[in-house]
């Protein structure tokens, strides 16, 4: 089954949005297979966002992400990477559609509440940055046989 790395950023944690966000993914039919809080060390932030190292916003992005604990998750499901990107919405919350997480909860691009991997390759890379194999769990959700058309 496909997996994606999803992370509630410090603003989302501090605003008490973790439960709402987890509920949305659970209700969609996706399966939470790993989760924990972490104050991300600089090395992980740099690895996570290495494509943006040379961007002008990188210093403020690093300060933002290191500003408090993040809630790190791995979600599993058919085509979960694309689904999660749709559910979080556009990078700029002002352009994100209502009904998406960023569209419903954010205003500024530098406080956009949540991260989700942008491709299956990024997902594999990001999951490996943040989770050991034995921190990602395998179990059956009892609704799987009705969520999916087999
Ligand atoms: P994404 O999170 O939707 O994949 P990216 O372009 O990969 O968006 O940027 C990573 C993160 O960097 C964004 O989620 C946002 O927190 C931050 N960011 C991107 N562009 C800007 C900007 O122009 N100003 C401030 N922060 C930005
Ligand atoms: Mg990105």
């Amino acid at each position: 089954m496909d997996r994606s790395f999803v992370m509630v950023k410090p603003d989302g944690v501090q605003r008490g949005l973790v439960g709402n966000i987890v509920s949305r993914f659970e209700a969609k039919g996706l399966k939470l297979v790993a989760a924990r809080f972490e104050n991300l060390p600089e090395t992980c932030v740099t690895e996570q966002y290495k494509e943006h190292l040379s961007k002008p916003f990188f210093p403020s992005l690093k300060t933002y992400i290191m500003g408090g604990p993040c809630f790190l998750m791995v979600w599993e499901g058919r085509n979960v990477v694309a689904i999660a990107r749709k559910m979080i919405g556009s990078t700029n919350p002002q352009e994100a559609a209502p009904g998406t997480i960023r569209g419903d909860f954010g205003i500024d691009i530098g406080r956009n509440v949540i991260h989700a991997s942008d491709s299956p390759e990024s997902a594999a890379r990001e999951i490996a940055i943040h989770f050991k194999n034995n921190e990602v769990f395998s179990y059956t959700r009892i609704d799987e046989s009705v969520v999916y058309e087999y």
Side-chain angles (χ1 to χ4, degrees), residues 8 17-27 32 71 73 75:
V8 183
L17 297 174
V18 167
N20 182 299
I21 288 168
V22 169
S23 285
R24 288 174 182 230
F25 283 84
E26 281 186 331
L32 184 62
F71 189 66
M73 297 165 278
W75 287 92

Side-chain angles (χ1 to χ4, degrees), residues 9 49 51-52 55 57 60-61 64-65 85 88-92 102 109-112 114-116 118:
K9 296 176 177 179
Y49 289 113
E51 70 196 277
H52 299 308
K55 305 267 174 71
F57 62 80
S60 62
L61 172 61
Y64 165 42
I65 298 298
R85 287 294 287 194
I88 74 171
S90 301
T91 304
N92 184 345
R102 287 164 169 170
I109 192 168
R111 295 289 183 274
N112 63 359
I114 189 163
H115 167 88
D118 64 6

Side-chain angles (χ1 to χ4, degrees), residues 65-114:
I65 298 298
M66 294 181 70
C70 293
F71 189 66
L72 288 63
M73 297 165 278
V74 179
W75 287 92
E76 198 173 272
R78 188 175 293 163
N79 208 17
V80 62
V81 173
I83 290 170
R85 287 294 287 194
K86 280 198 178 135
M87 289 175 67
I88 74 171
S90 301
T91 304
N92 184 345
Q94 296 192 29
E95 285 159 17
T100 65
I101 291 163
R102 287 164 169 170
D104 287 349
F105 298 133
I107 294 175
D108 281 352
I109 192 168
R111 295 289 183 274
N112 63 359
V113 180
I114 189 163

